[in-house]
Amino acid sequence: MEIASRYNPQEIEPRILNAWLQGGHFHSVSRPGHKPFSIVIPPPNVTGILHMGHALNNTIQDVLIRFNRMRAKDSLWMPGTDHAGIATQNVVEKALAKEGLRKEDLGREEFTRRLWDWKEQHGSVIINQLKRLGASCDWQRTRFTMDEAYSKAVTKVFVSLWNKNLIYRGYYIINWCPRCKTALSDEEAPYQQAQGYLYYIKYPLVSQAANRTLKPGTVQATQTKYIVVATTRPETMLGDVAVAVNPEDKRFASYIGKKLLLPIMQREIPVLSDSFVDPDFGTGAVKITPAHDLNDFEMANRHNLSPIVVMNPDATMNENAGEYKGMDRFKARGKIVEFLKNQDLILKVEPYTNAVSRCYRCDTVVEPYLSRQWFVRMEPLAKPAIKAVRAGKIKFNPKRWEKVYLNWMENIRDWCISRQIWWGHRLPVYYCKKCKEEPGRNNKSQITNDNFHPKGVIVAEERPQKCPHCGSQDIVQDSDVLDTWFSSWLWPFATFGWPFDKSQVSAKPPRRGQSHKSQDISRKREELKYFYPTNVLITAPEIIFFWVARMIMAGFEFMGKEPFRDVCIHGTVRDNSGRKMSKSLGNVIDPLDIIDKVGADALRFSLILLAASGSDVYLSEDKFLVGRNFSNKIWNATRFVFLKIEEKGIKVEDFKFSELDEVDEWILRELSLAVECVTESLETYSLNEAAKKIYEFFWHSFCDWYIEIVKDNFTLSKAKAAVFVLLESIKLLHPFMPFISEEVFNLIKKHTSLPLSGMLASLDWPKIGKHACGKPMGIELIFDTIKEVRNIKADLGLGQKKVDIEVDCSPEALKLWNSNQGWIERLALLKSVVYRKGLNRVLYKNKFWALNIVMDNVSLDNFLISLGKKVVNLEAVLSETKARLENKGFIQNASSDIIDREKAKLRDTSLLLQRLLKLKGAFE
RNA sequence: GGGCGAUUAGCUCAGUUGGUUAGAGCGCUACGCUCACAUCGUAGAGGUCACAGGUUCGAGUCCUGUAUCGCCCACCA
């Protein structure tokens, strides 16, 4: 026998993978008259390496894709990677640093070339890792967000939004990393708790402070009236333009409209009222620094105050900072505090824990910074996206995420899309130098957001030859690139080749009668029409805002349709104590390591079992043993079947069953129920329900009962049934454990003469109900009897000893017993079964037979104890049931079948109880 | 500060519209190397379903409140 007794995924998985890829089993094309099923992969970062989150996310997608592929749908899983602007640039910059170079040393062009080199060399790492996981993506279609065709989509979208006045350039407070010198999105600047200080600073009233200079040795501020403001960043006070209080706050009512003298800068600033100010926080008065704080910026806008930027892009103080010019922001903070202390302008300093944003790549404290950036106006885009979800066109699963989505969408803010880095899609924005100088990005003290289409700014898909306004050829392109998400939000349709630009070059040779370009384009158009909207998007909760919501908006804006019909949000993968897995915590479990140890199938199956719909997954290495053990069980069940077939020289050529007995019928019925359950569960995205059902059926029905029963009576008929069940089981299993199921399929082909060909991945899904059998069967009662006999034997201390039993039964039941006696004796560990009328003791009884175990000289202690427990239980049930049936309310209100059930229960329980009491009495 | 979720066996979780004696896996205990599998088999122990009220003939399930934990959002200087 050449089948190993242990399943060895390391040998099998690479071979199967290769066969799938060679056979083109994952490629899908649109076929008129067929049904599509499509998913676009959440594109991993091109710098990424597979982590458990990916493993879970992609396993779920693969299960759905494989399931639908087997249901003969044209199943397309679109793979690809994301250029991940800052992350990738960071990786390459680090590599450069090893050569002692900075990107500026190379210049933009050369540095970008290096980035592409890096991508060519390392960009497919995660793709190959996904293949090892078993992901059945249509790999021929693998896309990259900076592919030429994809980039055209990005440019087109930018221009289109600009033309509709949905993109504008303007000043706003953004997250600014002074080290990277770029704007960051909110997700790129996560908050961290930081220990700092809250400084309470006195701002004197001008009426009293007028003509007084607040310099050392002159008038003491304590002698004047003042307002105290609290701040964590005293250096920003140099840019203060006002102090705000709550209009309801009586303490400050008399100050409103008056002027304060801003210490150090000696600038007069107004006291204004704004309901944003929380009278209960700090002193109830807020300094307004519009250029360095988002709230202040918005308040200043409300009150028509101009911001004053006091820092340079590298976070040193600028010329607006007076004597602190050139000083680093933190050094300036110290100096300013020192000065204020000397002036007695600090009331107190309190330790304070607040949230500080840090750059995710270099950990530098991010500065809220007034800067000229490009924005997308989101509200108009959000409207149809909100409507669609409300109308149920797009469904979230679990549903609760819908609220999260809607809440964000209804309070949506404009999207800062420009980044001051070099890796990404460059803005299709050109400046005519003659019409208008390219504006400096920083140091603006004026908030003048641009008009709709300002002069000298040209937004176009192609670089213009000359300025349409003045004809000048002195034109420069904006140096910024777009936020990575500005390309990912187009993923569900841009991956199909949209917008089908004619200049796209096809790699395919032209076909007869049509130029290859137009042929290619019309095919792509068809495919988009066929596969879009995609069926379902599988992603993690933290991606809802960045990506899911934006894809929905882009879908409606550019396709006029939702990008997907269902969104499944799965949980986060955590370590066993609930912490997120991260390199810095050192609690990462590497999926590739698990694949090496137990196989991709075991990894996949374990993950699905653990990931109950949308709940977080707590992992430790031992949790993968479930999958490993199950693999081995499947393997050995298969091994057993073919071992027997070989031993008996049986030829299985077809599934024409001529002589099914009760046991065969039972297992076929169980199989049918499993098919039904798994199918329904997969249709409703209850993957773990489906996985559990397969596990339960295969292990506990097929292996524990069926195989055990047929072991010593392995006929042709049994072989057929066993192979049939095996074949149908691995079909059910295939979406979850594609490798082992495929290998079992190979073995079936090898050891039988069944007309099977191709690969399991392309086979049809089992039909529901085909083998359901309505025949009432006593076989399950036999199972119960065997269990009960084992149970009693264990209590009697006869666990592994063979015993004689006596059975009293009807002639009909006797037939059942006789025809199955062999395996009954084996499974219940019996020496013999004697049939006789009337037993002098009944240990077990059901509707059809009663049974006694012949025994002498055994300890009855345990048996009587468990008998006693049973009696107590039954008495409780009995009195409960009685009480229920005597309850008028119950009789009046409960449905008739419930009442009937209770009546039956009363009958059965009291009979059983009587018998047990009698039995107990006989022993005592 | 708002919102959401969770709380069921030692651990991780199921429990469908309220209706038999609340289930599974892992772990644990006992026995067994029975010729597919010790990555196995058989049996067993283990739960006042977080707490307090309420609705109901009947609540793990519905309502209200409390506690603890977790997550998300937010402009609190």
Side-chain angles (χ1 to χ4, degrees):
Chain A
M1 190 71 196
E2 73 277 36
I3 304 175
S5 72
R6 281 195 182 188
Y7 177 58
N8 178 13
Q10 287 76 17
E11 186 271 319
I12 286 158
E13 289 184 357
R15 179 158 49 79
I16 301 280
L17 176 59
N18 199 40
W20 283 329
L21 298 177
Q22 295 295 314
H25 290 269
F26 306 152
H27 185 54
S28 187
V29 290
S30 58
R31 294 181 301 170
H34 286 72
K35 278 187 179 168
F37 182 85
S38 55
I39 298 180
V40 291
I41 203 169
N45 286 358
V46 70
T47 55
I49 51 167
L50 196 77
H51 56 63
M52 274 299 170
H54 292 126
L56 174 63
N57 177 254
N58 289 291
T59 298
I60 295 171
Q61 295 176 75
D62 196 46
V63 169
L64 296 174
I65 278 285
R66 285 181 185 271
F67 169 57
N68 281 287
R69 187 180 292 126
M70 292 178 79
R71 299 172 100 204
K73 291 190 186 171
D74 292 327
S75 297
L76 170 57
W77 187 7
M78 180 75 77
T81 50
D82 188 300
H83 67 278
I86 295 182
T88 310
Q89 179 162 322
N90 189 24
V91 168
V92 176
E93 268 189 81
K94 270 185 185 160
L96 268 188
K98 281 184 187 158
E99 301 173 36
L101 291 169
R102 292 171 311 134
K103 65 178 192 295
E104 288 78 10
D105 300 331
L106 298 181
R108 183 163 190 155
E109 202 174 317
E110 175 60 15
F111 182 67
T112 309
R113 203 187 58 74
R114 294 261 189 144
L115 277 155
W116 277 105
D117 285 350
W118 187 93
K119 190 260 170 184
E120 292 312 318
Q121 278 178 38
H122 305 104
S124 55
V125 167
I126 193 154
I127 294 292
N128 291 326
Q129 291 173 331
L130 285 170
K131 287 178 184 170
R132 280 195 71 192
L133 182 68
S136 63
C137 297
D138 189 347
W139 297 112
Q140 298 176 36
R141 294 183 191 260
T142 305
R143 303 286 189 248
F144 179 54
T145 48
M146 276 172 69
D147 285 342
E148 198 186 334
Y150 200 105
S151 299
K152 283 188 191 295
V154 174
T155 308
K156 189 190 171 76
V157 159
F158 188 98
V159 174
S160 158
L161 292 174
W162 169 264
N163 287 337
K164 291 175 81 173
N165 194 20
L166 291 174
I167 280 184
Y168 64 93
R169 186 178 58 167
Y171 288 99
Y172 202 64
I173 301 288
I174 42 84
N175 299 301
W176 181 265
C177 175
R179 199 209 67 89
C180 305
K181 299 189 187 67
T182 180
L184 297 172
S185 61
D186 292 340
E187 68 270 23
E188 289 163 340
Y191 281 107
Q192 280 174 28
Q193 289 297 97
Q195 197 53 246
Y197 295 96
L198 194 56
Y199 302 88
Y200 290 78
I201 303 169
K202 301 170 187 169
Y203 285 25
L205 258 178
V206 157
S207 57
Q208 309 222 354
N211 302 321
R212 289 172 185 168
T213 49
L214 290 160
K215 281 186 179 159
T218 58
V219 177
Q220 293 293 300
T222 43
Q223 298 166 346
T224 68
K225 286 185 106 177
Y226 51 79
I227 287 180
V228 177
V229 300
T231 179
T232 53
R233 296 182 297 150
E235 69 278 12
T236 63
M237 71 181 284
L238 305 179
D240 283 0
V241 298
V243 164
V245 298
N246 190 290
E248 309 289 317
D249 195 335
K250 293 195 177 91
R251 293 172 295 174
F252 297 111
S254 64
Y255 290 82
I256 294 169
K258 298 214 168 117
K259 300 260 180 183
L260 300 174
L261 189 67
L262 178 65
I264 300 174
M265 298 312 288
Q266 304 292 17
R267 186 160 65 230
E268 288 190 5
I269 57 174
V271 178
L272 48 89
S273 73
D274 192 296
S275 53
F276 165 78
V277 180
D278 177 359
D280 298 326
F281 186 85
T283 61
V286 190
K287 62 195 264 313
I288 305 294
T289 321
H292 296 277
D293 186 282
L294 181 57
N295 311 315
D296 293 5
F297 178 76
E298 289 180 344
M299 257 194 284
N301 274 348
R302 285 199 283 276
H303 298 276
N304 274 320
L305 294 164
S306 294
I308 301 170
V309 176
V310 296
M311 278 181 216
N312 294 309
D314 64 354
T316 56
M317 308 309 289
N318 70 9
E319 66 276 5
N320 292 329
E323 59 188 282
Y324 299 95
K325 181 186 172 187
M327 204 179 279
D328 173 77
R329 55 181 164 167
F330 297 124
K331 194 173 174 198
R333 179 181 299 177
K335 290 283 179 195
I336 287 166
V337 170
E338 195 184 319
F339 175 81
L340 294 172
K341 270 188 183 155
N342 289 337
Q343 290 293 308
D344 196 22
L345 287 169
I346 293 204
L347 182 68
K348 58 179 173 175
V349 179
E350 288 178 342
Y352 188 71
T353 308
N354 67 335
V356 173
S357 299
R358 285 174 181 271
C359 175
Y360 86 110
R361 60 177 295 211
C362 69
D363 209 39
T364 304
V365 172
V366 163
E367 199 64 31
Y369 196 59
L370 181 61
S371 167
R372 187 175 216 175
Q373 302 288 346
W374 290 82
F375 297 88
V376 178
R377 235 181 274 286
M378 298 305 275
E379 220 186 293
L381 295 175
K383 274 187 182 146
I386 291 170
K387 208 175 138 191
V389 169
R390 282 203 188 286
K393 271 191 164 176
I394 300 172
K395 291 195 182 87
F396 281 78
N397 185 328
K399 198 171 165 37
R400 63 172 183 273
W401 294 108
E402 196 176 295
K403 265 189 244 167
V404 176
Y405 165 89
L406 288 172
N407 182 51
W408 188 76
M409 290 292 274
E410 279 158 3
N411 299 292
I412 199 157
R413 309 171 70 125
D414 286 353
W415 176 14
C416 174
I417 52 171
S418 45
R419 297 289 179 275
Q420 291 69 48
I421 55 172
W422 289 350
W423 179 238
H425 304 96
R426 210 156 154 183
L427 272 68
V429 175
Y430 305 87
Y431 302 102
C432 169
K433 283 191 148 180
K434 218 171 170 187
C435 284
K436 196 177 178 183
E437 292 291 318
E438 181 184 4
R441 186 166 293 111
N442 306 305
N443 304 335
K444 284 285 156 182
S445 53
Q446 288 249 304
I447 325 166
T448 45
N449 284 344
D450 291 323
N451 296 327
F452 185 4
H453 284 173
K455 193 173 129 188
V457 176
I458 308 148
V459 173
E461 289 185 52
E462 303 291 336
R463 184 191 181 89
Q465 294 300 309
K466 54 183 186 181
C467 172
H469 190 76
C470 72
S472 164
Q473 294 187 5
D474 195 2
I475 284 167
V476 290
Q477 185 171 7
D478 195 301
S479 57
D480 288 358
V481 299
L482 288 159
D483 179 9
T484 301
W485 297 105
F486 193 86
S487 52
S488 350
W489 73 330
L490 313 177
W491 190 249
F493 50 89
T495 45
F496 285 96
W498 184 88
F500 312 116
D501 191 293
K502 286 207 170 55
S503 65
Q504 278 176 225
V505 182
S506 166
K508 288 198 169 178
R511 283 173 217 170
R512 247 183 314 156
Q514 205 174 10
S515 83
H516 73 257
K517 273 182 202 166
S518 59
Q519 167 99 36
D520 194 40
I521 288 168
S522 67
R523 183 179 54 79
K524 283 183 174 165
R525 271 184 206 285
E526 251 173 56
E527 281 186 349
L528 179 64
K529 205 176 158 193
Y530 190 66
F531 289 114
Y532 186 99
T534 64
N535 290 72
V536 56
L537 182 83
I538 313 292
T539 194
E542 59 264 31
I543 309 300
I544 293 176
F545 306 142
F546 311 143
W547 196 46
V548 179
R550 287 170 181 163
M551 276 193 289
I552 295 174
M553 290 186 267
F556 282 104
E557 175 67 16
F558 302 108
M559 293 291 107
K561 264 190 216 167
E562 68 278 7
F564 28 73
R565 303 211 165 89
D566 291 308
V567 180
C568 288
I569 306 290
H570 60 247
T572 306
V573 177
R574 299 174 181 283
D575 74 5
N576 222 8
S577 45
R579 299 174 303 176
K580 270 191 186 174
M581 285 193 179
S582 76
K583 275 184 199 156
S584 56
L585 282 172
N587 60 351
V588 171
I589 300 177
D590 180 359
L592 296 162
D593 187 40
I594 301 296
I595 290 175
D596 286 338
K597 286 177 177 154
V598 299
D601 286 330
L603 168 74
R604 294 166 56 115
F605 196 79
S606 307
L607 280 176
I608 295 293
L609 274 186
L610 291 168
S613 61
S615 66
D616 285 355
V617 185
Y618 287 51
L619 282 186
S620 55
E621 274 211 26
D622 58 319
K623 298 229 167 130
F624 295 102
L625 294 180
V626 188
R628 182 196 67 167
N629 295 353
F630 190 42
S631 303
N632 199 53
K633 191 73 183 177
I634 293 159
W635 187 251
N636 274 290
T638 308
R639 180 167 177 259
F640 169 81
V641 170
F642 294 118
L643 195 95
K644 280 289 179 190
I645 281 179
E646 198 180 71
E647 182 191 312
K648 304 258 172 179
I650 293 170
K651 271 189 93 174
V652 176
E653 296 169 308
D654 56 53
F655 290 133
K656 285 175 197 148
F657 301 109
S658 47
E659 37 176 320
L660 293 181
D661 64 18
E662 299 89 350
V663 178
D664 300 328
E665 282 173 353
W666 170 79
I667 194 66
L668 291 176
R669 186 164 149 273
E670 289 295 308
L671 171 68
S672 195
L673 291 171
V675 171
E676 190 174 358
C677 172
V678 171
T679 306
E680 273 180 25
S681 301
L682 286 179
E683 279 170 346
T684 53
Y685 306 116
S686 308
L687 274 62
N688 100 322
E689 291 286 312
K692 272 190 203 168
K693 183 66 197 181
I694 299 167
Y695 183 91
E696 184 202 273
F697 167 74
F698 194 86
W699 199 311
H700 298 303
S701 298
F702 186 52
C703 294
D704 287 354
W705 286 105
Y706 191 75
I707 287 186
E708 289 302 327
I709 289 168
V710 304
K711 240 175 194 174
D712 62 358
N713 183 27
F714 203 78
T715 60
L716 173 64
S717 166
K718 289 279 177 281
K720 277 187 182 180
V723 173
F724 179 77
V725 173
L726 192 59
L727 178 60
E728 298 299 288
S729 299
I730 58 167
K731 287 181 190 168
L732 294 182
L733 192 65
H734 184 259
F736 301 90
M737 304 181 99
F739 293 100
I740 192 172
S741 54
E742 200 71 74
E743 182 64 4
V744 170
F745 185 61
N746 283 337
L747 292 172
I748 293 176
K749 284 195 287 193
K750 194 170 161 192
H751 292 273
T752 68
S753 313
L754 290 162
L756 296 168
S757 61
M759 292 191 79
L760 184 62
S762 307
L763 246 56
D764 283 347
W765 188 251
K767 300 262 186 312
I768 298 172
K770 196 173 162 190
H771 300 281
C773 177
K775 220 163 139 189
M777 279 170 293
I779 206 70
E780 275 157 335
L781 278 178
I782 298 266
F783 294 173
D784 284 348
T785 309
I786 290 172
K787 281 192 202 168
E788 191 61 23
V789 169
R790 286 169 179 165
N791 191 330
I792 296 167
K793 281 176 67 189
D795 280 342
L796 294 170
L798 297 171
Q800 307 301 320
K801 279 192 185 151
K802 291 193 169 184
V803 295
D804 299 304
I805 63 165
E806 304 164 326
V807 175
D808 178 0
C809 60
S810 67
E812 212 177 35
L814 183 62
K815 252 163 83 185
L816 187 67
W817 275 84
N818 276 328
S819 58
N820 293 292
Q821 190 163 334
W823 61 265
I824 293 174
E825 284 179 0
R826 188 160 39 81
L827 295 195
L829 269 179
L830 306 176
K831 221 184 295 170
S832 71
V833 184
V834 175
Y835 302 97
R836 68 156 59 118
K837 276 273 160 239
L839 301 174
N840 48 18
R841 184 177 60 202
V842 173
L843 290 180
Y844 170 85
K845 188 173 193 276
N846 64 35
K847 243 164 139 179
F848 303 106
W849 54 77
L851 178 152
N852 181 34
I853 295 174
V854 181
M855 57 183 170
D856 45 27
N857 292 331
V858 293
S859 161
L860 295 170
D861 295 355
N862 286 331
F863 178 69
L864 289 173
I865 289 170
S866 77
L867 201 57
K869 272 187 193 169
K870 276 179 199 157
V871 168
V872 170
N873 269 342
L874 286 176
E875 278 168 344
V877 174
L878 197 64
S879 67
E880 213 173 274
T881 312
K882 263 185 191 161
R884 198 168 296 158
L885 285 167
E886 281 160 13
N887 184 329
K888 271 184 196 164
F890 177 73
I891 299 297
Q892 275 165 18
N893 295 307
S895 68
S896 61
D897 49 323
I898 300 272
I899 294 173
D900 289 347
R901 206 163 62 195
E902 288 299 311
K903 282 181 179 163
K905 186 167 88 183
L906 183 70
R907 235 181 1 253
D908 296 348
T909 310
S910 55
L911 277 174
L912 187 57
L913 185 59
Q914 270 172 38
R915 184 170 66 74
L916 291 188
L917 286 172
K918 197 171 154 194
L919 188 62
K920 208 169 162 227
F923 282 113
E924 281 164 355

